[in-house]
Every structure is written in structure tokens, then in C-alpha cells.
Amino acid sequence: MTATTSTEIDFALRPAASPLPAEERERLLADPGFGQVFTDHMVTIRWSEDRGWHGGRLEAYGPFTLDPATAVFHYAQEVFEGLKAYRQASGPIVAFRPQANAARFNRSAVRMAMPELPEAAFVRAIDLLVTQDREWVPFEEGHSLYLRPFMIATNRGLGVNKPSPTYLFTLIASPAASYFGGGLRPVSVWLSREYTRAAPGGTGAAKTGGNYAAAFAAQLQALAGGCDQVVWLDAVEHRWVEEMGGMNLFFVYGSGSGARVMTPALTGTLLPGITRDSLLTLAPELGIPASEGRISVDEWRAGCESGEITEVFACGTAAVVTPVGTIRGSSGSWTVGDGTPGPVTMRLREELVGIQYGHLADQHGWIHKII
Ligand code: PLP
Ligand code: COI
């Protein structure tokens, strides 16, 4: 066993005694799907009131043993992140804006009354795991290694008079193809008017498990209505478009040299997506003005019918940039443009993916080289 230091946290390196044989790994990498296959290792770090962060480890991927009375099982005190490692064309393995994920992880932690993890330790955990499991980073362009850092409350006890005094941070990794099966196809979305995802003062801006648990009932309605994803509206008027279950939304107005993009502003109930932020930076550099604003469901429909809105797309780490083709809801349905991927959507996707896979220069310092 060797040890390595990141700021004040030591990581003990305990590689798996029997990692998966290469042929088996190659078989899994050929068709990884999304979030189904996991690598040989994980990183864990513990936190307690008296010791702070301690006991960092790189160890074999495997199950936890937790007492049935552990706080996270009952009160969902949990936060997570999602980012990807890419194998670039010229050889290096990189992560995209991991410091931004570290910062958001800590904002989520503060909202959920959990301890913040030093950003250097968050990034160090990624470097250690991806370096150890580098053979798991797919070679196929469009595939990547999805990284899932998360933190859970580990106190044993059922009281809710104060947050847990102990926590466990874990990082796992999963080779991934596209989030929506069937390659790059426009997705259909379901407008949820019955349920809401996040209310002012709630946890919508935090990446915490409960937001996703509360979304499944609406997701079932979306699936029953023949749609891929839910579009969430604001909780007060059920009128303003916010985001989707795991991605932000962009609207394209006009076309050709007159095209511009708009994404719903961060009102406190949306997740501040890192892909969203990246596209708000990249679009103007490509001559496409970009703004944050608001759009109602009625304006969305009228804009598509009049031709003012020419494209709509979803964006996120898992979804990358995915065109939205059809919108359905209890009060009818409509199509964006001709329902096929539009040129602004595809141009922005190409730019983002080009930077991530190293085909285009990284002019913003977004690429973090791991190995
Ligand atoms: N909105 C929600 C609810 C999400 O879960 C995600 C995924 O992380 C996003 C938006 C997009 O965020 P990012 O671009 O940082 O992946
Ligand atoms: C991501 O894009 O990283 C997400 O977290 C989306 C989803 C799988 C929850």
C-alpha cells in the first residue's frame, strides 16, 4: 500500500486484487449503454465532526455495508455530481471543467447542510480513479467515462433535530455511450403541469437525490405519453419553462446569420448546468448571440407555430447537446421546426464535443489533463 497527499487529505492506494480480465472489459466497453457498467475501483473519503475529511482511499469497487438506521436511507441527505473523462484523439485522457463540478458539489452540500470537500481533493479523487482505471476510458469517439462523485449522510439514528455528524464521499466511474439510446435523434418531451420539480426556497439548484426521486412520477407520465423526458415548469404559475429531468433547455430564434439562442435564467429553482454555462460562452464566439431569459409554454408553442422558434435543444453532461423534436402535454402537442436536428443545435454540439475530444483548441482552460 502506498499513500499520496492532496492538500491535507491522504489517499491510501489499495488496487483491486482481481480486476476484470481484459477480454471481459473489452466486451463491456463495446456496448456500455449509460450507467450500467462500472470500473474496477472507487475512491472513498470520510468526514466526521471531530476529524473533518480523512481516510481517503482508492480501493476495489464494491458494495457498502450500512446500518438500516443510517440517515441517508431515511432522510435522503445526499448530493452528487456528474462529469466525464474523455480519451482525446492525440492520446491524453482529460476531464471537462472538473473544478466547476467541485464548486457545484460544494454549493449543493451547503444547501443540504453537509460539509464542503476541498476542490483540490475532489479533483485529486478524479485523477486517482481515472489514472487507475484508464483502460476503462472508451476509445470510441462519442463514448466517455462518466464520473459520479456523491456524498451520503452516514449517521446511525432516526432523529431529525440536526444533520448527520458523519458523511461518506465516494467516486465511481462508468463507461458511457449516448444517454438516449438510438444515437443522436431528436427527443420528445412531456410538459408536466400536474407535478412540479422545485419551488422557490427549495432544493432545485442543488444536485441532490430527492429532486430526482420526486421526478419519477412525472417521468412515468412522460413514458406513458410516449415521451423521453419531462419538461418542468415553475412551481408558482405552472407556466414558465424551467428545465428537464437531467438537462437544461435552449431555444433557438431565427435562422442563418440572424439566429440567436436563449436559455431560461437561473431563478434558484433550476440546476446551473455546466454544459449550459459552456454554451452561453461558446455561442457568441460562433457569432450566435446568447441570452438568459424566460419563456412560457404558450410562447413556446406560438413561437414554433409562427416559425420564430426554429430549434430547441437539451444540454447536459449525460445528454451532451440533444435536439428536442416534439412537445406533448395534456393539452395537445406540437413539433419544433420539421422535427429534425437543426443547424444551430448541431454547430454548438460540434464545438463543445470538439473541445472535449481535443479536435478544437481549448481557449477557456476548461480541459483538465488527467494522464
Ligand atoms: N439539470 C438537471 C436537473 C441535471 O440533473 C443536469 C445534469 O447534470 C443538468 C441540468 C445539466 O447539468 P450539467 O451540464 O452540469 O451536466
Ligand atoms: C448528468 O448529466 O450528469 C446527470 O446527472 C443527468 C442524469 C443522469 C441525472
Side-chain angles (χ1 to χ4, degrees):
M1 188 184 97
T2 47
T4 174
T5 309
S6 157
T7 54
E8 60 281 14
I9 302 170
D10 283 338
F11 287 90
L13 306 184
R14 299 181 181 167
S18 46
L20 207 65
E23 321 77 77
E24 183 63 7
R25 187 182 63 236
E26 295 305 327
R27 192 184 63 74
L28 293 171
L29 282 174
D31 184 18
F34 182 87
Q36 301 298 315
V37 174
F38 298 92
T39 66
D40 291 313
H41 297 89
M42 61 185 185
V43 172
T44 55
I45 319 175
R46 279 154 210 285
W47 187 91
S48 63
E49 267 173 357
D50 50 338
R51 296 182 64 191
W53 290 106
H54 64 278
R57 273 189 196 184
L58 175 118
E59 58 194 306
Y61 181 97
F64 300 132
T65 300
L66 289 170
D67 191 289
T70 300
V72 66
F73 295 144
H74 303 273
Y75 308 125
Q77 205 191 354
E78 187 265 4
V79 294
F80 70 97
E81 267 305 323
L83 69 161
K84 285 174 170 172
Y86 306 86
R87 193 181 288 277
Q88 292 198 327
S90 58
I93 298 174
V94 307
F96 185 69
R97 305 188 68 183
Q99 293 86 357
N101 291 91
R104 187 172 66 187
F105 188 72
N106 283 339
R107 291 197 302 274
S108 300
V110 168
R111 176 61 186 85
M112 302 305 288
M114 299 168 87
E116 294 175 71
L117 178 68
E119 280 183 22
F122 182 99
V123 175
R124 182 76 181 131
I126 290 170
D127 289 348
L128 283 175
L129 184 62
V130 175
T131 301
Q132 180 69 39
D133 282 340
R134 55 190 171 275
E135 309 290 351
W136 284 94
V137 183
F139 278 88
E140 188 168 328
E141 180 123 0
H143 292 190
S144 56
L145 187 67
Y146 183 77
L147 302 170
R148 172 53 64 88
F150 64 100
M151 174 172 33
I152 58 171
T154 50
N155 189 47
R156 176 180 179 277
L158 301 181
V160 285
N161 53 348
K162 72 178 185 67
S164 172
T166 57
Y167 296 90
L168 172 66
F169 168 89
T170 304
L171 170 66
I172 56 175
S174 173
S178 80
Y179 184 68
F180 296 106
L184 183 64
R185 62 172 175 91
V187 294
S188 51
V189 298
W190 178 259
L191 287 174
S192 182
R193 292 202 188 245
E194 185 181 344
Y195 298 109
T196 54
R197 175 181 178 276
T203 58
K207 213 159 159 58
T208 182
N211 290 341
Y212 300 79
F216 283 125
Q219 180 66 15
L220 284 179
Q221 289 187 332
L223 295 174
C227 293
D228 299 293
Q229 278 279 310
V230 178
V231 168
W232 294 103
L233 305 178
D234 76 288
V236 179
E237 297 183 70
H238 289 217
R239 181 173 168 216
W240 304 104
V241 177
E242 297 213 317
E243 61 174 326
M244 309 230 289
M247 50 213 80
N248 294 112
L249 278 167
F250 271 83
F251 295 81
V252 183
Y253 294 82
S255 57
S257 59
R260 65 181 176 89
V261 296
M262 190 281 288
T263 186
L266 301 176
T267 54
T269 53
L270 284 74
L271 191 82
I274 292 157
T275 318
R276 173 190 179 281
D277 182 72
S278 307
L279 295 175
L280 280 172
T281 302
L282 292 176
E285 293 173 359
L286 299 174
I288 306 165
S291 62
E292 299 176 76
R294 69 176 190 172
I295 177 169
S296 68
V297 175
D298 292 344
E299 287 165 349
W300 184 353
R301 183 176 194 148
C304 288
E305 283 168 0
S306 72
E308 191 197 0
I309 295 176
T310 47
E311 305 173 36
V312 178
F313 62 85
C315 68
T317 299
V320 193
V321 171
T322 299
V324 173
T326 322
I327 298 91
R328 292 197 193 104
S330 45
S331 56
S333 66
W334 69 94
T335 303
V336 184
D338 64 1
T340 62
V344 174
T345 304
M346 297 315 285
R347 180 71 191 88
L348 287 169
R349 182 185 165 98
E350 186 185 287
E351 191 73 12
L352 179 72
V353 169
I355 295 169
Q356 291 169 335
Y357 286 91
H359 302 303
L360 297 175
D362 166 30
Q363 288 170 347
H364 301 282
W366 287 342
I367 296 298
H368 167 80
K369 184 165 182 261
I370 299 174
I371 181 173

